[in-house]
Amino acid sequence: DQQIIVYNEYERLFHRTAIPFKVLTYKLDQFIDVVNTIFSRYTKYTFHYEQTDKGKLHFIVIDTLKNIFLEPERLSGFETIILQIAINQGIIHINDRNRTGFLMIDESFDCIDQTRFVEQLPHIIEVTRQYYQNMLLISHRDVSHTIIDNNINIVYNENQDYSYIDSPRDNTKL
């Protein structure tokens, strides 16, 4: 019973005519503008939302060439990464408290298929450099030294069962 009461109150507050809905819509529109500034620049898509009368949000992607609506889950690995970066920037833009110049990406780039990885990674790095001062990219794939500033190799020593950071510049072990 308590869950039904809470849900009914949520529906009342976020109905299209209620003030919280109007405030939310204002912030969502700002969020969507920031997301699409980035997302549509590197893909053929735009990001949008639909909101039901009961206040439920549905995020959708529109193919701008074919005018087709898609679920965000249908995007390629590259498109998904660009969307994630764009959403991150959208959230930072509408939130006055959370600001950062650092982005850590743990193996997310590995979702790009191998044949397109080398071609698309420079574009992703370009996007992240526009919005973040520092980025830590963790990947099992080889990344070209022409698009990154520093490369840290972690080497596993099978004989002694430990890993170490191999510094390729001066061959010292850290």
Side-chain angles (χ1 to χ4, degrees):
D1 284 339
Q2 184 65 26
Q3 287 179 338
I4 293 171
I5 293 169
V6 170
Y7 182 74
N8 288 337
E9 183 65 10
Y10 169 84
E11 284 184 347
R12 185 185 69 76
L13 288 172
F14 286 94
H15 190 273
R16 290 184 181 273
T17 59
I19 290 175
F21 175 83
K22 292 177 182 180
V23 171
L24 177 65
T25 300
Y26 174 73
K27 286 293 194 177
L28 276 172
D29 289 343
Q30 288 180 342
F31 168 76
I32 294 296
D33 286 345
V34 171
V35 170
N36 281 323
T37 297
I38 301 166
F39 188 52
S40 64
R41 180 176 174 195
Y42 293 94
T43 69
K44 63 178 183 175
Y45 301 105
T46 55
F47 185 71
H48 300 276
Y49 72 94
E50 295 174 343
Q51 191 162 14
T52 66
D53 285 337
K54 294 182 177 185
K56 188 172 182 180
L57 291 175
H58 296 279
F59 291 105
I60 57 172
V61 173
I62 299 174
D63 183 324
T64 56
L65 302 177
K66 299 177 184 175
N67 203 25
I68 298 172
F69 291 72
L70 303 170
E71 295 290 324
E73 295 80 21
R74 305 251 342 252
L75 296 172
S76 73
F78 171 77
E79 295 157 347
T80 300
I81 290 168
I82 296 297
L83 180 58
Q84 289 172 352
I85 292 168
I87 287 172
N88 224 13
Q89 283 305 305
I91 291 169
I92 289 170
H93 180 78
I94 63 172
N95 183 349
D96 296 332
R97 294 192 178 128
N98 294 328
R99 302 265 181 217
T100 183
F102 178 77
L103 176 67
M104 184 173 101
I105 300 173
D106 186 5
E107 299 183 22
S108 290
F109 289 173
D110 293 349
C111 69
I112 301 172
D113 61 74
Q114 184 62 38
T115 56
R116 298 179 69 196
F117 181 78
V118 174
E119 168 194 330
Q120 293 176 334
L121 188 61
H123 297 297
I124 295 170
I125 299 296
E126 176 186 331
V127 172
T128 55
R129 283 190 170 159
Q130 290 177 23
Y131 298 98
Y132 298 95
Q133 254 182 320
N134 300 296
M135 179 177 67
L136 175 62
L137 165 63
I138 299 169
S139 179
H140 292 282
R141 296 191 181 174
D142 290 329
V143 178
S144 170
H145 294 285
T146 60
I147 60 172
I148 60 172
D149 297 325
N150 295 304
N151 185 32
I152 299 172
N153 293 315
I154 299 175
V155 180
Y156 178 66
N157 183 329
E158 290 182 36
N159 296 334
Q160 297 179 349
D161 197 30
Y162 70 91
S163 297
Y164 61 91
I165 296 174
D166 185 29
S167 175
R169 290 194 178 141
D170 58 8
N171 292 328
T172 60
K173 294 177 184 173
L174 305 173

